[in-house]
Amino acid sequence: MQHIYDESFERIVRDVHVGQQQEEYYPVKLITSRGGIHCRYYPLKDTEQAAIWVGGVGGDWDTPARGLYPLLCQQLTKEGIASLRVRYRYPAELEESVLDVLAGINYLHDEGIQNFALIGHSFGGAVVIKAAIQAPDVRTVVTIATQVYGTETVADLATRCSLLLLHGTEDRVLPPDCSQRVYQLALQPKRIILYPNADHCLDQVADEVTQAVRDWIVEQLNRSSTKVL
């Protein structure tokens, strides 16, 4: 097993419990040295690419843009990309949530995944940025209405990991200036899209967000696979 480290802790997935298939996914519980992490796994045979999806401080299985996460988890399998949704053990605790994502990456490594996309909404934007900095196999990060706190080192993604930031201009929870500030700190390759009249969840532009996120993930992961070959 390939281990992933943070500054003070080796994150090890000690065991995995996989439940019976529910709709398009399998319930997965990762047994780790810091407790169990519940996930929903959309597997795909013989793929080396996967996306990991996390929500905001609400925890549970929250998703922006009118069901964006389960929708794209299903759609991306047609593009050869598996998906793993991760439910935080302790929502709103940044470092613990980052470790949850790293555990998900650790698990998918054992499933044969070598190239990752990380997607996070709101608080989850900071989570996926921090996780990507610690995990060299992450090829791209997508943030949706991200917060600024926890993203200060986004430039450490450097040229190995691309960044897409999406934000609604009418966001009253985290103003669009948050994504703009992260964009200014980040290095290329990066892109920011601001959606007029959209709020924190971007429900008003769900179709546009779905298309943008899908196209970005497919393009970036395929580009990484080509480089590896």
Side-chain angles (χ1 to χ4, degrees), residues 210-220:
T210 299
Q211 190 68 48
V213 174
R214 179 186 177 278
D215 289 350
W216 180 270
I217 291 173
V218 171
E219 177 185 358
Q220 298 301 313

Side-chain angles (χ1 to χ4, degrees), residues 97-181:
S97 298
V98 171
L99 292 175
D100 292 340
V101 173
L102 294 179
I105 293 174
N106 196 284
Y107 165 63
L108 291 179
H109 275 147
D110 282 357
E111 294 291 299
I113 304 300
Q114 298 184 15
N115 300 298
F116 294 86
L118 304 184
I119 305 92
H121 175 233
S122 191
F123 163 80
V127 171
V128 294
I129 286 173
K130 289 181 72 68
I133 290 170
Q134 298 184 43
D137 290 342
V138 176
R139 308 306 179 193
T140 192
V141 167
V142 178
T143 70
I144 303 169
T146 187
Q147 67 182 38
V148 174
Y149 176 78
T151 67
E152 298 83 0
T153 56
V154 65
D156 290 347
L157 294 176
T159 58
R160 71 166 174 84
C161 180
S162 61
L163 176 65
L164 173 65
L165 303 110
L166 310 179
H167 219 116
T169 61
E170 300 302 314
D171 191 335
R172 305 303 183 193
V173 178
L174 293 167
D177 179 63
C178 293
S179 285
Q180 290 173 316
R181 289 169 62 185

Side-chain angles (χ1 to χ4, degrees), residues 61-72:
W61 303 109
D62 60 324
T63 171
R66 293 192 318 215
L68 174 72
Y69 288 0
L71 177 62
L72 283 186

